[in-house]
Amino acid sequence: FYEAAMQADVQERLALEQDLKKASAEGQLAVFVQSQVDARGAVVGGELLMRWNHPERGNVPPGRFIPVAEASGLILRMGDWMIGQACEALAQLQAQGLEYTISVNVSERQFRQEDFVERIRNVLSATGAKAELLILEVTETAALSDRERASDILSEFRSHGIQIALDDFGTGY
């Protein structure tokens, strides 16, 4: 049955997808660092978070634009950009003599890319960032959706010194 609300949702999603394509191309997406602290309150690292300040919509929450990016495939380009930002930040910190870890979320779609490990290694090599300071946050669902492949990817990351953290643990399987 046709419902006007369903049509409005579809139109809103399509408009958001078009705006997101534009946002990605025009640099409307921004990276923020959320500090990670130890038990004493000392900063030990950070997590990079993507934010979108739309020129007309204002701040669009990640819970609204990330699912659209994931469904449309834009998440691959956005995810590559975020990993690049993380590695550049690590390299800048290293140049200042600081060795903090930086975490970045990885989408399920990114994690399933055939050349995912190679892409990460290339960014690390291009920026000079230390692999052991990069933490890729993978959702439990992504890590367990194809256990054999996930195990291979995780082993390969481990062999290169890249850390993996399970994100949203306990909410998937």
Side-chain angles (χ1 to χ4, degrees), residues 70 75 104-113 116 136-154 157 164-173:
E70 185 83 35
I75 197 73
V104 65
N105 289 301
V106 172
S107 80
E108 188 170 348
R109 201 168 185 155
Q110 274 181 288
F111 190 74
R112 283 191 259 136
Q113 286 181 292
F116 182 56
L136 300 176
E137 293 190 13
V138 179
T139 63
E140 180 184 8
T141 304
L144 296 177
S145 62
D146 180 350
R147 290 180 185 171
E148 187 174 321
R149 172 142 167 70
S151 178
D152 292 344
I153 291 170
L154 297 176
F157 278 137
I164 298 290
L166 279 182
D167 197 20
D168 299 334
F169 184 73
T171 61
Y173 290 92

Side-chain angles (χ1 to χ4, degrees), residues 10-121:
V10 169
Q11 287 176 322
E12 171 63 16
R13 188 174 179 90
L14 287 173
L16 197 60
E17 183 179 331
Q18 292 305 313
D19 287 352
L20 192 53
K21 284 179 186 175
K22 190 175 178 182
S24 185
E26 294 180 359
Q28 293 175 14
L29 301 174
V31 174
F32 289 86
V33 179
Q34 178 176 304
S35 296
Q36 295 174 329
V37 296
D38 65 12
R40 299 177 323 235
V43 174
V44 295
E47 179 179 1
L48 292 192
L49 304 171
M50 184 181 296
R51 296 297 182 253
W52 180 18
N53 188 14
H54 188 280
E56 295 167 10
R57 298 174 192 257
N59 289 324
V60 181
R64 181 77 178 113
F65 73 86
I66 296 295
V68 172
E70 185 83 35
S72 68
L74 288 170
I75 197 73
L76 296 176
R77 184 172 4 139
M78 292 164 60
D80 284 348
W81 178 72
M82 282 295 284
I83 290 168
Q85 295 293 304
C87 291
E88 286 176 19
L90 284 170
Q92 288 174 4
L93 288 168
Q94 288 167 213
Q96 297 172 24
L98 302 170
E99 291 204 347
Y100 294 121
T101 59
I102 293 193
S103 300
V104 65
N105 289 301
V106 172
S107 80
E108 188 170 348
R109 201 168 185 155
Q110 274 181 288
F111 190 74
R112 283 191 259 136
Q113 286 181 292
E114 286 298 319
D115 62 345
F116 182 56
V117 176
E118 182 181 339
R119 295 167 82 87
I120 301 295
R121 286 191 356 235

